[in-house]
Amino acid sequence: MPKFQSTDSIASVSSTANTDSSSPKEQFKPIIIVPYPPSYHHAVISNMSSVLFNIVYYNKTHKIYSEENDVLYSKHIPKLSIEEFLIRIVKYSKIELSTLVYMYIYTLRLITRNDLILRYNNVYRVLLGACVISVKFNEDTKFPYKYYAKIGGMTVEELSAVEFAIFTKLNCELFINEDEYYETLSFLLQI
């Protein structure tokens, strides 16, 4: 301490420093993370379904068939469009936007890395299986397995087999880095 400085002057200096108009609490306000509005969900669902529809339509018009003995193949095709099916999944499973993007990335990985031929006979099973895997990987809260099977119109055994088939076709590679996630999200929002 300097020779002529008293402790009273130190107290007065420190007390005046704290009387600034901005207290430490005001300087460091917490960042509030605002979730995407529901309209983003609708845009992503619409764009995701149009991409998947175009792939299915291309395979149908060019008579490219998927294997009928595959677990992902179904004899019964729902009477819903791909978009209506995605809306049903999002509405009843209450998945987050990030989980929806994960579903899309997993589906594309199945198509590009495993030469999965997407048709009406398997697109619904692929989407529901990718949803269950995405929820397990990305979210903390989940519904019972039976609930997801009911959303997709499958039995629990069928959904379990579909999930396992997708998981093995993905070679257990579920990690999605930040760049891939944001590139995919911006693509789905810009179509």
Side-chain angles (χ1 to χ4, degrees):
M1 181 181 302
K3 192 176 194 180
F4 299 105
Q5 190 173 8
S6 71
T7 55
D8 292 338
S9 63
I10 294 173
S12 65
V13 168
S14 63
S15 66
T16 56
N18 288 338
T19 58
D20 274 352
S21 63
S22 61
S23 68
K25 287 183 181 178
E26 290 175 5
Q27 290 175 352
F28 301 104
K29 292 182 180 177
I31 298 171
I32 300 170
I33 300 173
V34 180
Y36 288 111
S39 62
Y40 280 53
H41 266 78
H42 296 299
V44 169
I45 289 170
S46 177
N47 294 332
M48 188 173 157
S49 64
S50 69
V51 169
L52 295 174
F53 172 78
N54 287 335
I55 293 170
V56 169
Y57 184 75
Y58 177 86
N59 291 337
K60 181 181 177 185
T61 55
H62 288 83
K63 297 184 176 31
I64 303 172
Y65 296 102
S66 56
E67 297 179 30
E68 292 186 20
N69 59 355
D70 189 13
V71 174
L72 301 176
Y73 182 85
S74 175
K75 292 179 183 175
H76 306 289
I77 300 171
K79 294 185 179 182
L80 300 171
S81 69
I82 295 172
E83 184 171 4
E84 291 169 336
F85 189 74
L86 282 171
I87 290 170
R88 178 180 171 86
I89 288 174
V90 171
K91 179 180 177 183
Y92 292 111
S93 65
K94 296 177 176 49
I95 59 174
E96 300 169 4
L97 179 66
S98 58
T99 305
L100 192 60
V101 174
Y102 273 50
M103 280 174 55
Y104 181 72
I105 292 171
Y106 293 154
T107 304
L108 289 184
R109 284 182 182 178
L110 287 170
I111 295 167
T112 56
R113 295 181 184 176
N114 295 303
D115 298 328
L116 177 73
I117 299 166
L118 213 56
R119 299 282 305 212
Y120 283 114
N121 293 11
N122 63 6
V123 66
Y124 299 101
R125 286 183 173 223
V126 168
L127 288 174
L128 189 63
C131 173
V132 170
I133 291 171
S134 301
V135 166
K136 286 182 177 180
F137 188 74
N138 190 45
E139 295 187 17
D140 293 331
T141 57
K142 339 175 189 8
F143 290 105
Y145 212 66
K146 187 177 182 180
Y147 186 77
Y148 292 105
K150 189 173 183 180
I151 291 172
M154 290 189 237
T155 65
V156 174
E157 294 79 16
E158 287 174 324
L159 181 57
S160 178
V162 165
E163 179 191 7
F164 183 73
I166 291 172
F167 188 69
T168 54
K169 286 177 190 260
L170 290 172
N171 294 325
C172 309
E173 295 176 16
L174 301 180
F175 178 74
I176 296 170
N177 66 34
E178 198 173 321
D179 292 338
E180 184 180 10
Y181 173 79
Y182 284 111
E183 283 175 18
T184 306
L185 178 61
S186 64
F187 170 75
L188 288 173
L189 291 172
Q190 291 177 2
I191 293 180

